[in-house]
Amino acid sequence: MAHARISAYLPPDINPSQAAIAYGCRALPKLNEELRSEDLLTRKKALVALCDLMHDPEHVYVAIDIGCLESLKALLKDSNNMVRIKATEVLQIMVTHYVGREGFLEHDIIHALSFLLNDPEIACRKNLHLAFKYLAQIPSGAQGIVHSGLIPLLVWKLQREEEEIQELLLDTLAACLLVDTTEALTSRVVPFLKEKLLSANDNIRSKAAYTLMAISIPLEGKKQVWQYGVIPILVHLLKDHVEEVQANAAGALMYATVTTAGEVACWPGTGGSTRPWTQTPSPRSCICWSPP
């Protein structure tokens, strides 16, 4: 005979750290209300629930329409570390969708996130740079980052962040430099990228070479690449054991060696000198051709 006993344990499909999601069209408005709650635990649970829902672009569209982005902007200033981490996680999930990227630009989320570039929590900064990376994948997103004036700060952070975040920074910079290289070049991005070409991390070497491709497209970028002695390093990377590094180094050389100075810097024995023609060439270096 069955007994009516109430278990002291929660059902197996209940997550105590996540807010209960309302049924149907009431789900997101209810969570938006909870995001603005004064109770810390309520805000945390609402953010955890949003992280699950924002993987669906339809939910992202509704969330933007009812004002969730404004609620999340406010939570970026929260004094609790976990709230800031989960708020940035929600935003980086939203920006993986095209509608989320458009929402970022319309609601000026770039400016709001920029205040967390020096956040003490590495997870928070990682989510932030993931969001910037995804946003920069569309031209309007890259333009938004450039026009926000963040490029000098991103270049500066390239020297001070963890390697995992450096990779994200390089991805973002590579996309943004296709829009405009002026601020990056005045912020000494080329010497910083030169150091990254010598990194023991394969991904960082590859991404640094790829970023130099974008730097080398304008004439001023080409000049700085050979002035700072980057071309000999790129030539050396053509023998790297990672194929992607070889390919990106070759791409950077393709743009950098369009000018005479860049081409001469690739010549063996010049040491990167821009005026080797002042030296008397040896007979062995000349190739003579005579008609048959």
Side-chain angles (χ1 to χ4, degrees):
M1 183 176 178
H3 297 280
R5 294 180 179 177
I6 300 177
S7 174
Y9 299 98
L10 291 172
D13 58 345
I14 297 296
N15 184 354
S17 65
Q18 178 176 315
I21 300 175
Y23 179 75
C25 61
R26 181 58 186 156
L28 288 169
K30 178 64 175 175
L31 289 176
N32 193 29
E33 293 175 8
E34 294 176 349
L35 289 177
R36 301 174 182 179
S37 172
E38 295 183 0
D39 181 62
L40 175 61
L41 184 59
T42 301
R43 297 198 301 274
K44 287 182 179 179
K45 289 184 175 183
L47 287 168
V48 173
L50 270 180
C51 286
D52 286 344
L53 292 178
M54 291 302 99
H55 290 283
D56 187 339
E58 293 184 6
H59 289 156
V60 175
Y61 177 83
V62 175
I64 294 173
D65 189 54
I66 65 175
C68 281
L69 282 178
E70 294 300 322
S71 301
L72 291 169
K73 282 174 65 175
L75 293 178
L76 294 177
K77 303 176 183 179
D78 200 283
S79 59
N80 184 269
N81 293 339
M82 186 54 65
V83 170
R84 295 197 309 277
I85 291 172
K86 299 307 290 186
T88 53
E89 184 178 348
V90 172
L91 289 171
Q92 71 92 358
I93 294 173
M94 293 178 73
V95 81
T96 58
H97 307 289
Y98 181 80
V99 64
R101 296 167 190 165
E102 293 296 320
F104 259 57
L105 299 175
E106 291 176 6
H107 293 267
D108 198 21
I109 303 298
I110 297 175
H111 180 72
L113 284 173
S114 65
F115 291 101
L116 297 179
L117 284 169
N118 294 319
D119 193 274
E121 293 294 328
I122 185 172
C124 187
R125 300 198 308 274
K126 180 182 176 181
N127 289 332
L128 177 154
H129 287 293
L130 273 171
F132 282 168
K133 172 188 173 180
Y134 295 138
L135 183 63
Q137 289 177 355
I138 60 173
S140 58
Q143 290 173 2
I145 296 175
V146 172
H147 295 160
S148 67
L150 287 178
I151 297 301
L153 185 54
L154 295 179
V155 172
W156 183 80
K157 295 293 288 182
L158 187 60
Q159 291 297 103
R160 292 158 178 82
E161 278 291 2
E162 303 290 335
E163 285 194 349
E164 186 179 11
I165 296 180
Q166 286 181 26
E167 295 179 21
L168 301 175
L169 275 166
L170 289 169
D171 287 332
T172 304
L173 286 172
C176 292
L177 292 176
L178 294 175
V179 175
D180 187 12
T181 61
T182 306
E183 289 186 337
L185 290 172
T186 56
S187 302
R188 294 177 52 85
V189 69
V190 175
F192 292 157
L193 291 176
K194 178 182 177 181
E195 292 182 16
K196 300 306 171 187
L197 291 177
L198 304 175
S199 172
N201 186 310
D202 295 344
N203 290 332
I204 289 180
R205 289 201 311 278
S206 175
K207 293 177 186 294
Y210 185 82
T211 306
L212 279 167
M213 261 197 280
I215 281 286
S216 301
I217 293 175
L219 179 59
E220 182 59 30
K222 292 179 174 66
K223 290 180 179 178
Q224 289 199 20
V225 166
W226 63 259
Q227 284 175 348
Y228 286 105
V230 178
I231 290 181
I233 299 176
L234 291 172
V235 173
H236 176 73
L237 289 180
L238 294 177
K239 302 177 182 179
D240 197 276
H241 66 278
V242 180
E243 291 185 359
E244 188 175 356
V245 175
Q246 297 176 14
N248 290 338
L253 287 170
M254 175 182 66
Y255 288 108
T257 55
V258 170
T259 62
T260 302
E263 181 180 355
V264 168
C266 290
W267 294 353
T270 64
S273 171
T274 59
R275 295 182 178 273
W277 50 82
T278 60
Q279 305 171 3
T280 304
S282 62
R284 294 183 180 180
S285 64
C286 301
I287 299 177
C288 298
W289 176 83
S290 58

